[in-house]
Amino acid sequence: MMVDIHCHILAGLDDGASSLEESVEMAEMAIADGITHVVATPHSNGEYQFDPQRVRERRDELQDRVGNRLTLATGCDFHLSYENVQDIKTNIAKYTLNQKNYLLVEFADFAIPPSADDTLHQLHLLGLSPVITHPERNRLLRAQPDRLRRWLHQGCYVQITAQSLLGKWGKGTQKQVEEWLDEDIVHFFASDAHNATTRPLKLAEAREVVVQRRGESIAKALFEENPLAAFEGRALPYEPQQPDIAARAPRAGRRKRFIFF
Ligand SMILES: [Fe+2]
């Protein structure tokens, strides 16, 4: 059983599924792939408004169509904007995965404000466990990975897009995932599916790559046990200790880049 904590399976809410029929197609794809639980996580950002009532209605509609072959829950692809953070303070469960305590957090590709560290800390103080979504696809985080490691020390988690490991987001992104997998700083894989074609709701192929690279028990942790724990609001069963950042020597041979956060 695999659990997908990040996907855009519901129609008419964001740039995900274009119709209920495509939602059903994505659900069938997930079932065929061996996925048992899916958290539908529409965007909440400057482009897409997040309405939990509508999200819940779309979930129910899809659940009716697929029956008990797939368990559907709701969450949010939460953009770390000032407005969103103010709003979550008034209603935590509005945005969290399956209305528990894990929260997907996405950053813009082109800028991560210096205040992000403090904002993530504020989310902690609310009792939330932020899950940083697909940092491997963010060129700023790839250029300054110690920033991500600091967030891990703060108690954040890392979710990688399954397709990134298969090279669908380019060679550089794939290499980055391999590196972070080997460093044990990955907690979840998820599909981040948007449709039934180019961004599919599949995990099995990436799981097999993790089995080959890190073995069955880590693959099971990253595709099944950890996502299920987040789904149910429990502590993660697999949470490797992070080395002290200050003790790490800078990586030799890495090109210097001038990118400001
Ligand atoms: Fe997403």
Side-chain angles (χ1 to χ4, degrees), residues 146 225 232:
D146 276 352
E225 295 165 344
E232 294 175 346

Side-chain angles (χ1 to χ4, degrees), residues 157-233:
Y157 299 111
V158 168
Q159 175 255 303
I160 298 293
T161 300
Q163 299 274 309
S164 295
L165 183 59
L166 304 177
K168 303 287 164 59
W169 290 87
K171 277 273 169 244
T173 303
Q174 183 179 22
K175 265 197 75 77
Q176 183 65 80
V177 174
E178 291 169 355
E179 212 174 277
W180 285 343
L181 249 185
D182 294 348
E183 280 180 43
D184 263 338
I185 62 171
V186 179
H187 301 90
F188 306 99
F189 274 85
S191 75
D192 196 9
H194 277 64
N195 52 48
T197 51
T198 53
R199 298 181 69 179
L201 216 167
K202 289 181 177 179
L203 294 172
E205 194 181 346
R207 187 190 189 285
E208 192 46 43
V209 174
V210 175
V211 170
Q212 298 303 324
R213 196 171 183 96
R214 298 298 316 274
E216 171 60 27
S217 71
I218 289 184
K220 193 173 173 60
L222 303 184
F223 288 83
E224 301 173 33
E225 295 165 344
N226 274 2
L228 183 62
F231 189 98
E232 294 175 346

Side-chain angles (χ1 to χ4, degrees), residues 1-5 7 9-10 22-40 59-73 201-203 231:
M1 63 181 286
M2 289 184 288
V3 178
D4 190 15
I5 59 167
C7 75
I9 190 173
L10 301 179
E22 188 167 37
S23 300
V24 172
E25 204 181 329
M26 289 167 78
E28 291 296 343
M29 180 180 270
I31 294 164
D33 201 55
I35 294 168
T36 54
H37 298 62
V38 163
V39 188
R59 186 216 78 99
D60 293 349
E61 198 176 35
L62 182 59
Q63 188 73 74
D64 275 352
R65 286 286 295 266
V66 297
N68 60 9
R69 294 180 303 140
L70 186 67
T71 303
L72 288 162
L201 216 167
K202 289 181 177 179
L203 294 172
F231 189 98

Side-chain angles (χ1 to χ4, degrees), residues 6-8 14-15 41-43 77 104 106 133-134 137 159 191-194 199:
H6 181 176
C7 75
H8 302 262
D14 60 7
D15 56 346
T41 54
H43 290 288
D77 198 349
L104 297 186
E106 70 157 2
T133 60
H134 45 67
R137 285 162 42 196
Q159 175 255 303
S191 75
D192 196 9
H194 277 64
R199 298 181 69 179

Side-chain angles (χ1 to χ4, degrees), residues 2 13-14 16 30 43 50 52 67 74 78 99 107 128 131 141 145 179 184 195 201 218 221 237 245 258:
M2 289 184 288
L13 301 171
D14 60 7
H43 290 288
F50 185 85
T74 62
F78 187 84
Q99 290 72 59
F107 290 101
L128 293 166
V131 177
L141 290 175
E179 212 174 277
D184 263 338
N195 52 48
L201 216 167
I218 289 184
I245 299 171
F258 297 95

